[in-house]
Amino acid sequence: MSFTQQCNQIFNQAIRDYHITDNIDTPINNPYDRDSIENRLYLKCWIDTVQWHFEDIIRDPHINPEDALALKRRIDRSNQDRTDLVEQIDSYFRHQYSDVTVLPDARINTESPAWAVDRLSILALKIYHMREQAERTDALPEHRAKCQSKLNVLLEQQQDLGTAIDQLLEDIAAGRKYMKVYRQMKMYNDPSTNPVLYGKK
């Protein structure tokens, strides 16, 4: 099994587990050992899945403004957790390939492996929810057909992205590419760089 096949298996497990209750307040029950990459992948997709539903709820045109504000705060925290987790996954890759001799003509990639895995997690969610729409018995045939067409594209995209990630990891392992990680320097969460926050002091 390739790395991305393992990712998709774990992502699908997290998505299925969330939808047992389909409730944004359901506590996570991560089945994997705390120090394993499997644990990080499951947690990554769980965060993405909960946030997917945050984004659905906040778009309700009849949402109470106070509820919307509280939910926006939760989305901000979730985004920070997601970013932190991507960096943890990149740390795993850096450790994995720390002994690799980088070739003199090695090239850098446009994104780190973990940010590509982040996109793979979101794709798993898109596929799950687009499949739901394609199979809706209360929807018109035209709606189902349109969603099935989109689902087919998403499945092809998942295959292509998985291949690209696996090839990237092969290239890094062989020294043909090297990874460089730039920590996300988010300014709006930092009270020392967000003028609205430091201006209140």
Side-chain angles (χ1 to χ4, degrees):
M1 183 187 297
S2 72
F3 177 75
T4 57
Q5 286 172 334
Q6 180 187 23
C7 287
N8 287 328
Q9 194 174 80
I10 293 170
F11 294 159
N12 290 337
Q13 180 183 5
I15 294 167
R16 284 194 308 269
D17 289 350
Y18 171 86
H19 284 94
I20 291 170
T21 61
D22 201 2
N23 185 316
I24 56 173
D25 295 315
T26 300
I28 185 172
N29 183 20
N30 195 321
Y32 297 101
D33 182 73
R34 176 71 174 78
D35 296 323
S36 67
I37 185 60
E38 292 83 3
N39 178 286
R40 303 294 86 187
L41 293 170
Y42 186 96
L43 177 56
K44 172 73 184 67
C45 194
W46 183 274
I47 289 171
D48 293 338
T49 305
V50 173
Q51 185 159 338
W52 179 286
H53 292 85
F54 284 164
E55 300 287 0
D56 277 349
I57 294 166
I58 206 164
R59 283 166 175 76
D60 179 352
H62 305 296
I63 192 171
N64 178 291
E66 288 183 5
D67 293 341
L69 179 59
L71 190 53
K72 177 64 173 78
R73 298 278 189 258
R74 290 183 71 174
I75 290 170
D76 284 347
R77 286 195 301 273
S78 179
N79 271 324
Q80 188 62 58
D81 290 343
R82 172 176 163 257
T83 299
D84 292 346
L85 196 50
V86 170
E87 292 180 352
Q88 289 177 31
I89 295 170
D90 263 335
S91 294
Y92 163 83
F93 286 125
R94 290 182 72 178
H95 177 73
Q96 281 286 102
Y97 302 117
S98 58
D99 295 333
V100 171
T101 302
V102 178
L103 300 176
D105 60 346
R107 296 181 176 189
I108 193 167
N109 204 51
T110 57
E111 64 185 349
S112 69
W115 280 110
V117 169
D118 171 72
R119 291 195 289 130
L120 196 65
S121 172
I122 303 299
L123 257 180
L125 272 164
K126 288 182 180 179
I127 287 167
Y128 179 92
H129 288 99
M130 194 62 73
R131 183 174 280 121
E132 266 189 338
Q133 292 299 312
E135 296 174 354
R136 266 179 63 192
T137 55
D138 64 332
L140 294 172
E142 294 82 0
H143 174 86
R144 294 199 300 271
K146 183 191 288 188
C147 291
Q148 183 61 53
S149 178
K150 290 179 178 181
L151 175 61
N152 294 341
V153 174
L154 289 170
L155 289 167
E156 182 179 357
Q157 189 179 358
Q158 184 185 50
Q159 183 67 43
D160 290 344
L161 180 57
T163 299
I165 294 170
D166 288 333
Q167 289 175 349
L168 172 61
L169 295 177
E170 288 171 10
D171 284 343
I172 293 172
R176 294 186 294 268
K177 284 194 173 179
Y178 62 95
M179 62 179 292
K180 210 171 178 182
V181 177
Y182 295 95
R183 299 298 176 191
Q184 295 299 303
M185 300 176 197
K186 291 189 181 287
M187 299 178 72
Y188 54 77
N189 284 337
D190 187 338
S192 68
T193 56
N194 181 334
V196 172
L197 299 179
Y198 67 69
K200 301 282 188 190
K201 291 182 179 178

